[in-house]
Amino acid sequence: MFTAEHAIRRYRETRRKITPQRIAVFRALEGNTSHPSAEDLFESVARSVPGISRATVYNTLETLRELGEVREYHFQADFRQFDPNTAPHHHCLCTDCGRVHDVHGGDFGTVRLPAGRLPFRADSFSVTFYGHCDRCGGAKSSRRGRVAAHSHSSHM
Amino acid sequence: MFTAEHAIRRYRETRRKITPQRIAVFRALEGNTSHPSAEDLFESVARSVPGISRATVYNTLETLRELGEVREYHFQADFRQFDPNTAPHHHCLCTDCGRVHDVHGGDFGTVRLPAGRLPFRADSFSVTFYGHCDRCGGAKSSRRGRVAAHSHSSHM
DNA sequence: GACTAATTTATAATAGTTCTAGATTAATGG
DNA sequence: CCATTAATCTAGAACTATTATAAATTAGTC
Ligand SMILES: [Mn+2]
Ligand SMILES: [Mn+2]
Ligand SMILES: [Zn+2]
Ligand SMILES: [Zn+2]
């Protein structure tokens, strides 16, 4: 689990300096399940560290990614999103508002490459569901909360 | 299945004009399993239609996407990729060279949202495997062709 | 073949990200 | 503490994919 303390330890281990700017980015990521973009994090961090540069936020995110402390996703075309939760989990992307929810805790079925001779060695995978979130449920399904409980399966 | 003829039919149906530029883009997409970017398609099409503008390629792709004739993916951060195969299928993204392979024809398991009360209505989903392709197999696994036959499963 | 709205083109604008050079500072050790 | 110095930070320029604009061209229609 990502914590500012853990990130600081990793930075020390790898002979990197601990700066107020970096700590602020770590804190902004701690427990953050919103899959923020670099700009999101910049805006959030700039409140506690006025004058921080975007470059610093970008650089810190890149380092954390190299260290394997955050994972980068490309849910949308226009910006990258970061997730301090590096454990494998699925995501739901609302195609209306762009919000991304984690999926965890249930029976999600299995995902595997066919045992056949596919010319590829897979290290990991990611599953993204596209649809509509709670708040965007849509005009026709204004009966919130029920609509949500939807199951989706496939056997491609 | 996407064909230039089918795209032309759809363009006629929706009162859009058939131009040499558009036909060239249709042809470039026909049977294309490389998941090309707009720039890839521009370069390819520019050979047969010198002077074509990038804007035309972008506009045509956008229209095809609206018509549901191609699907747009965000495998990488820096550009969008298009797939004329709109049937649901999985993908393998080589994290070395960026090539994307389709996955189809075997037993891939099932994917579903937990039947519980997840506040989300899913319309579709996409599965992406990350790893190393045939050609990029890596130094340690130069024994190509065997490495490939790898199976990956999960029950998160 | 003429008409006209749709399309195309070249180019400017935009947005996210990366690069750069000079100013600042964390870490080290006397 | 203070001095040293390599690492870091900042502001802003540069870069890249994409979108917007406006004027020129053309597909479709009669
Ligand atoms: Mn997540
Ligand atoms: Mn595909
Ligand atoms: Zn939403
Ligand atoms: Zn490869």
Side-chain angles (χ1 to χ4, degrees):
Chain A
M1 190 188 62
F2 183 96
T3 61
E5 282 314 312
H6 178 248
I8 290 172
R9 209 172 308 127
R10 296 282 282 131
Y11 263 52
R12 290 231 159 86
E13 281 168 18
T14 56
R15 313 273 115 76
R16 292 178 159 93
K17 294 186 176 173
I18 312 300
T19 69
Q21 292 88 343
R22 289 173 172 181
I23 291 174
V25 174
F26 300 162
R27 292 247 169 81
L29 284 167
E30 203 167 44
N32 190 327
T33 60
S34 73
H35 307 87
S37 66
E39 178 69 20
D40 291 337
L41 289 165
F42 169 75
E43 283 169 20
S44 157
V45 162
R47 275 183 248 119
S48 50
V49 186
I52 190 174
S53 164
R54 280 184 174 74
T56 299
V57 175
Y58 277 97
N59 290 339
T60 303
L61 288 169
E62 171 62 9
T63 299
L64 288 172
R65 197 187 58 72
E66 283 168 7
L67 292 175
E69 296 300 327
V70 303
R71 174 127 192 221
E72 179 181 325
Y73 287 97
H74 309 135
F75 296 114
Q76 314 217 209
D78 296 334
F79 49 85
R80 297 150 200 230
Q81 285 169 270
F82 298 88
D83 194 343
N85 179 1
T86 56
H89 58 286
H90 299 176
H91 292 100
C92 292
L93 168 63
C94 178
T95 50
D96 289 336
C97 68
R99 264 186 280 267
V100 176
H101 292 268
D102 287 333
V103 181
H104 46 248
D107 172 21
F108 306 101
T110 60
V111 176
R112 56 174 167 274
L113 281 180
R117 55 232 62 244
L118 191 72
F120 196 82
R121 178 162 50 93
D123 297 327
S124 68
F125 69 94
S126 130
V127 180
T128 305
F129 293 90
Y130 303 92
H132 306 275
C133 78
D134 215 2
R135 308 194 204 182
C136 301
K140 53 179 59 171
S141 53
S142 50
R143 56 245 160 71
R144 301 280 168 70
R146 285 311 88 204
V147 184
H150 182 81
S151 126
H152 188 100
S153 80
S154 156
H155 33 232
M156 289 182 287
Chain B
M1 189 186 61
F2 183 97
T3 62
E5 282 315 311
H6 179 247
I8 290 172
R9 209 172 308 128
R10 296 281 282 131
Y11 264 52
R12 290 231 161 85
E13 281 168 17
T14 55
R15 312 274 113 75
R16 292 180 159 92
K17 295 185 175 174
I18 312 300
T19 69
Q21 293 87 343
R22 287 172 174 183
I23 291 173
V25 174
F26 299 162
R27 292 245 170 82
L29 284 167
E30 204 167 43
N32 190 327
T33 60
S34 73
H35 308 86
S37 66
E39 178 69 20
D40 291 337
L41 290 165
F42 169 76
E43 284 169 20
S44 158
V45 162
R47 274 183 249 121
S48 49
V49 186
I52 190 173
S53 164
R54 279 183 175 76
T56 299
V57 176
Y58 277 97
N59 289 339
T60 304
L61 287 169
E62 171 60 12
T63 300
L64 288 172
R65 197 187 58 72
E66 284 170 6
L67 292 174
E69 297 299 328
V70 302
R71 175 127 193 222
E72 178 182 326
Y73 288 96
H74 308 135
F75 297 114
Q76 313 216 208
D78 295 333
F79 48 86
R80 297 151 200 232
Q81 286 169 270
F82 298 89
D83 194 342
N85 179 2
T86 56
H89 59 287
H90 299 176
H91 292 99
C92 292
L93 167 63
C94 177
T95 50
D96 289 336
C97 68
R99 265 186 280 267
V100 177
H101 292 268
D102 286 334
V103 181
H104 46 248
D107 172 19
F108 306 101
T110 60
V111 176
R112 57 174 166 273
L113 280 181
R117 53 235 63 243
L118 191 72
F120 197 82
R121 179 161 49 94
D123 297 327
S124 67
F125 68 94
S126 130
V127 179
T128 305
F129 294 90
Y130 303 92
H132 307 275
C133 77
D134 216 3
R135 307 193 205 183
C136 302
K140 53 180 58 172
S141 51
S142 50
R143 58 246 160 71
R144 301 280 167 69
R146 286 309 89 205
V147 184
H150 181 84
S151 126
H152 187 101
S153 80
S154 156
H155 31 233
M156 290 181 287

